[in-house]
């Protein structure tokens, strides 16, 4: 039986014959990760686990699959997509995953080494998100990546994609965790995004090449997103959504959970509002996340922050000078109607460039050194 602290037997998966056994076991369908941990401690090695599978310990289906795996062909597919196998005692294996009761015995990865991803925050939300959710997801991804924090998400449509794109837009680090084989882009419409992440960030899966995406694989994927991350930010999600599942996994492994509020009339606000009612800190943008995690918000990536601003956002930001001022004063300085100015101020809050206190606005540390025009008159 495994010890109280999660982990693997000494030397488990280390060496060519052990890695070959892990490659075969990664194709099984009945042997769950939790049962595999138990089997590992019972058998002591990956080869021992494979022998047990071939004896039928996890059923006929797994035994048949194990007998059919062509290790040479699998290695060829890994090489073709420039993926690598990471065992539990490889230096690249993230120690944070050992907080799980069912850590993966093997990971497949493409792109940058996971050793480089020190601080990480997950940004998750609805696939069929609103424009509001997409904008906030991208802005939070951009804001935290601009300070060197890795953005983790699931490469799904909607908020996940927006968060990855936000990180990539400032050249920041990002990890996409797939619920399919390491070479299977899902959804297929995100193939270009996933390839971009593989070139500039890291794509990770616990599934070998060729494994199709299936509903049961996504909760398993979500546990990895939560365990890889110091915190999880939930942007949008319906009641009972995958976003809540990821938040629950995060709490189980000791990661923090933050939630972004949304319109009370929107069904997509159900998940974040439920989390807020249960005590999750409310965050309005990347600045709140970084502040809550104690990450310094110095003058990192100023040009990237400015590059993403519309003309109205620039004008409003230029009017936010000195001590906290009212929205009415800012609207007057920017020569915008008050409603338009308020909308722009909300966007700047999401980007982490301004903050509101008692109805007055001032720049955050992220925007402090962006040049401002002196107010006329």
């Amino acid at each position: 039986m495994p010890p109280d602290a999660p982990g693997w037997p000494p030397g488990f998966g280390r060496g060519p014959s052990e890695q070959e056994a892990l490659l075969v076991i990664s194709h099984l369908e009945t042997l769950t990760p939790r049962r595999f941990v138990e089997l590992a401690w019972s058998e002591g090695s990956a080869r021992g686990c494979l022998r047990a599978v071939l004896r039928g310990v996890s059923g006929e289906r797994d035994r048949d699959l194990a007998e059919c795996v062509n290790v040479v062909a699998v290695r060829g597919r890994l090489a073709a997509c420039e993926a690598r196998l990471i065992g539990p005692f490889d230096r690249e294996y993230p120690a944070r995953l050992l907080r799980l009761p069912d850590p993966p015995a093997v990971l497949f990865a493409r792109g940058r080494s996971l050793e480089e991803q020190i601080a990480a925050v997950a940004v998750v939300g609805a696939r069929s998100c609103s424009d509001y959710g997409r904008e906030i997801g991208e802005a939070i991804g951009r804001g935290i990546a601009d300070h060197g924090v890795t953005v983790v998400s699931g490469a799904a449509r909607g908020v996940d994609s927006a968060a990855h794109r936000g990180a990539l837009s400032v050249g920041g680090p990002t990890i996409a965790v797939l619920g399919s084989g390491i070479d299977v882009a899902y959804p297929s419409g995100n193939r270009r995004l996933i390839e971009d992440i593989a070139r500039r960030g890291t794509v990770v899966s616990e599934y070998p090449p060729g494994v199709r995406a299936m509903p049961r694989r996504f909760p398993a994927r979500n546990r990895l997103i939560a365990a890889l991350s110091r915190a999880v930010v939930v942007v949008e999600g319906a009641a009972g959504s995958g976003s809540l599942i990821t938040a629950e996994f995060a709490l189980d492994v000791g990661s923090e959970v933050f939630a972004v509020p949304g319109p009370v009339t929107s069904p997509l606000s159900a998940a974040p509002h439920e989390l807020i009612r249960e005590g999750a800190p409310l965050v309005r943008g990347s600045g709140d996340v970084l502040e809550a995690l104690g990450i310094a918000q110095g003058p990192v990536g100023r040009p990237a922050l400015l590059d993403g601003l519309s003309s109205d956002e620039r004008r409003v930001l230029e009017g936010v000078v000195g001590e906290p001022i009212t929205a009415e004063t800012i609207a007057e300085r920017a020569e915008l109607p008050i409603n338009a100015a308020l909308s722009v101020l909300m966007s700047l809050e999401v980007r982490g460039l301004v903050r509101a206190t008692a109805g007055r606005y001032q720049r955050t540390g992220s925007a402090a050194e962006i040049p401002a025009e002196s107010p006329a008159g």
Side-chain angles (χ1 to χ4, degrees), residues 46-211:
R47 287 176 297 170
C49 290
L50 180 55
R51 287 193 294 268
V53 168
L54 293 172
R55 292 195 304 267
V57 72
S58 62
E60 293 184 5
R61 172 64 176 164
D62 276 355
R63 184 187 62 199
D64 293 344
L65 285 171
E67 290 175 344
C68 292
V69 174
N70 183 327
V71 172
V72 173
V74 175
R75 289 195 181 279
R77 294 189 69 170
L78 287 173
C81 67
E82 299 182 325
R84 58 193 179 276
L85 180 151
I86 303 169
F89 284 94
D90 291 336
R91 289 185 58 180
E92 193 178 352
Y93 189 95
R96 296 185 70 91
L97 294 181
L98 297 179
R99 299 179 299 163
L100 291 165
D102 54 352
V106 60
L107 288 175
F108 301 95
R110 301 172 60 201
R112 293 172 55 181
S113 170
L114 291 171
E115 284 189 275
E116 301 175 29
Q117 325 291 350
I118 299 172
V121 172
V123 182
V124 299
R127 288 178 172 84
S128 299
C129 67
S130 66
D131 291 342
Y132 166 83
R134 186 176 294 104
E135 180 182 354
I136 290 180
E138 183 169 348
I140 292 178
R142 178 173 56 246
I144 62 177
D146 199 41
H147 286 79
V149 178
T150 299
V151 175
V152 183
S153 201
R157 291 186 296 270
V159 171
D160 288 20
S161 296
H164 288 306
R165 289 191 176 100
L168 293 171
S169 72
V170 293
T174 189
I175 297 174
V177 185
L178 304 183
S180 56
I182 188 64
D183 64 339
V184 178
Y186 184 86
S188 59
N190 275 2
R191 182 180 303 278
R192 182 174 296 179
L193 173 64
I194 292 169
E195 290 302 316
D196 200 10
I197 295 170
R199 285 192 299 272
R200 301 163 61 189
T202 312
V203 177
V204 175
S205 175
E206 62 183 317
Y207 304 113
V211 173

Side-chain angles (χ1 to χ4, degrees), residues 195-271:
E195 290 302 316
D196 200 10
I197 295 170
R199 285 192 299 272
R200 301 163 61 189
T202 312
V203 177
V204 175
S205 175
E206 62 183 317
Y207 304 113
V211 173
R212 294 180 301 164
M214 298 178 66
R216 63 183 172 85
R217 303 196 197 282
F218 291 101
R221 183 273 310 267
N222 292 349
R223 88 189 196 287
L224 300 187
I225 292 174
L228 284 169
S229 307
R230 181 176 170 185
V232 171
V233 182
V234 176
V235 176
E236 280 187 331
S241 66
S243 301
L244 285 176
I245 294 173
T246 306
E248 289 169 5
F249 280 127
L251 294 172
D252 287 344
V253 298
S255 297
E256 298 188 62
V257 174
F258 303 129
V260 177
V264 296
T265 55
S266 171
L268 294 174
S269 300

